[in-house]
């Protein structure tokens, strides 16, 4: 009975806040962003394991009661931070796969974008933090993989399947081929960055060289005669344009 009355009072208060133009408890995007920004600084400074909700409360400049209105625990807050980072960093990245008129160049364009983002400082920091936390909280690592790398992998696989249907690729195991393609796009770079062997981001020239080489290997392994014929026609067309050689 008491719980029901308390719930009713809260609901009435939330309704009043909405009528007055104020967000209900836990619904203020500015406050939520303030908490996430504080958490970002703490996680970067201390790492996931050493960071505490008290640290985040102080850094965000909010009360402990406020922070728990928005996030149940440190794990939930960290996942929200990762989702926000992912949405910002990887936004529209897969749009290039919708423009598949030239298979080789589409793969090169996508591979370069992927390699730049995967080896960026923000992504490296997030992955190191997740890896460090996954030993104690394996489900956190699993959710990170499912919501990020796995979704991206599925989009690449769908693109390759479409190329197979067009007769441009011959692939027996598209799932495996999708992993092979992405690995070729940052061959050597990922491990150098994740272990801080490389302290600066790869240059555009490095990435271009690695991606073009990787795409070349990929198409030699899986490209069909139809693809070779299309690329030959494209080269002839380019040669027919004045000023092209």
């Amino acid at each position: 009975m008491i719980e029901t009355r308390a719930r009713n009072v809260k609901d009435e208060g939330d309704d009043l806040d909405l009528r007055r133009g104020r967000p209900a408890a836990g619904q203020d995007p500015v406050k939520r962003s303030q908490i996430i920004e504080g958490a970002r600084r703490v996680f970067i400074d201390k790492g996931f394991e050493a960071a505490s909700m008290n640290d985040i409360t102080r850094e965000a400049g909010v009360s402990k009661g406020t922070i728990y209105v928005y996030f149940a625990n440190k794990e939930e807050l960290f996942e929200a931070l990762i989702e926000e980072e992912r949405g910002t960093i990887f936004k529209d990245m897969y749009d290039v796969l919708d423009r598949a008129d030239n298979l080789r160049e589409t793969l090169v364009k996508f591979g370069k974008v992927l390699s730049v983002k995967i080896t960026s400082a923000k992504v490296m920091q997030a992955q190191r933090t997740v890896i460090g936390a996954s030993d104690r909280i394996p489900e956190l690592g699993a959710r990170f993989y499912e919501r990020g790398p796995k979704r991206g992998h599925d989009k690449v696989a769908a693109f390759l399947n479409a190329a197979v249907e067009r007769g441009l690729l011959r692939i027996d195991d598209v799932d495996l081929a999708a992993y092979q393609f992405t690995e070729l796009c940052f061959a050597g770079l990922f491990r150098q960055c994740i272990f801080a062997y490389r302290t600066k981001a790869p240059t555009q020239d490095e990435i271009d060289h690695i991606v073009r080489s990787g795409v070349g290997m990929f198409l030699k392994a899986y490209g069909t005669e139809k693809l070779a014929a299309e690329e030959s026609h494209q080269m002839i067309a380019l040669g027919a344009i004045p000023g092209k050689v």
Side-chain angles (χ1 to χ4, degrees):
M1 181 73 71
I2 294 174
E3 290 180 357
T4 300
R5 283 200 298 270
R7 203 160 40 238
N8 289 339
V9 168
K10 179 183 181 300
D11 291 342
E12 290 172 2
D14 289 347
D15 290 342
L16 183 59
D17 281 342
L18 289 172
R19 287 196 297 272
R20 289 175 174 172
R22 295 197 300 266
Q27 301 299 315
D28 185 348
V30 175
K31 185 66 67 176
R32 187 177 190 276
S33 178
Q34 179 182 340
I35 294 169
I36 288 178
E37 284 301 317
R40 177 184 286 107
R41 293 190 292 271
V42 172
F43 286 134
I44 289 174
D45 182 52
K46 295 178 175 289
F48 179 82
E49 289 293 335
S52 70
M53 291 296 265
N54 285 335
D55 295 328
I56 296 168
T57 296
R58 286 192 296 270
E59 187 65 31
V62 299
S63 68
K64 186 174 288 188
T66 297
I67 205 169
Y68 281 112
V69 167
Y70 287 82
F71 302 100
N73 49 47
K74 183 173 71 170
E75 290 80 4
E76 186 177 297
L77 177 50
F78 179 69
E79 288 189 68
L81 170 60
I82 293 297
E83 283 299 312
E84 185 173 284
E85 292 282 2
R86 181 182 293 126
T88 300
I89 295 171
F90 293 97
K91 182 181 179 182
D92 303 329
M93 187 179 79
Y94 296 94
D95 288 356
V96 68
L97 296 180
D98 295 332
R99 301 185 290 276
D101 52 325
N102 183 312
L103 180 61
R104 183 181 298 269
E105 285 308 305
T106 297
L107 290 175
V108 168
K109 287 177 184 177
F110 174 73
K112 290 198 290 187
V113 172
L114 175 67
S115 188
V116 167
K117 291 183 182 295
I118 288 295
T119 58
S120 69
K122 277 190 174 182
V123 173
M124 283 293 122
Q125 181 64 48
Q127 291 191 95
R128 291 190 192 108
T129 305
V130 171
I131 291 169
S134 294
D135 187 48
R136 187 174 67 84
I137 314 171
E139 61 272 16
L140 188 151
R143 287 194 296 272
F144 174 86
Y145 179 76
E146 288 171 357
R147 295 172 183 176
K150 182 63 167 60
R151 288 180 183 175
H153 169 79
D154 290 344
K155 290 180 180 180
V156 173
F159 175 82
L160 296 180
N161 265 318
V164 169
E165 292 174 1
R166 291 166 56 199
L168 301 178
L169 299 176
R170 184 181 296 109
I171 304 175
D172 293 328
D173 188 340
V174 172
D175 189 63
L176 174 60
Y179 284 118
Q180 291 171 333
F181 170 70
T182 53
E183 291 292 330
L184 286 169
C185 287
F186 38 78
L189 295 179
F190 178 78
R191 289 191 180 187
Q192 291 175 13
C193 291
I194 199 73
F195 293 115
Y197 175 80
R198 178 187 287 264
T199 56
K200 293 183 179 180
T203 66
Q204 288 291 339
D205 286 343
E206 284 181 286
I207 288 174
D208 184 76
H209 173 66
I210 289 171
V211 170
R212 288 190 181 278
S213 176
V215 169
M217 290 181 64
F218 186 82
L219 293 182
K220 281 183 180 179
Y222 294 119
T224 63
E225 291 181 2
K226 181 179 179 180
L227 173 64
E230 283 195 6
E231 292 194 330
S232 178
H233 291 321
Q234 289 164 358
M235 292 298 293
I236 292 171
L238 286 174
I241 298 174
K244 297 286 185 179
V245 294

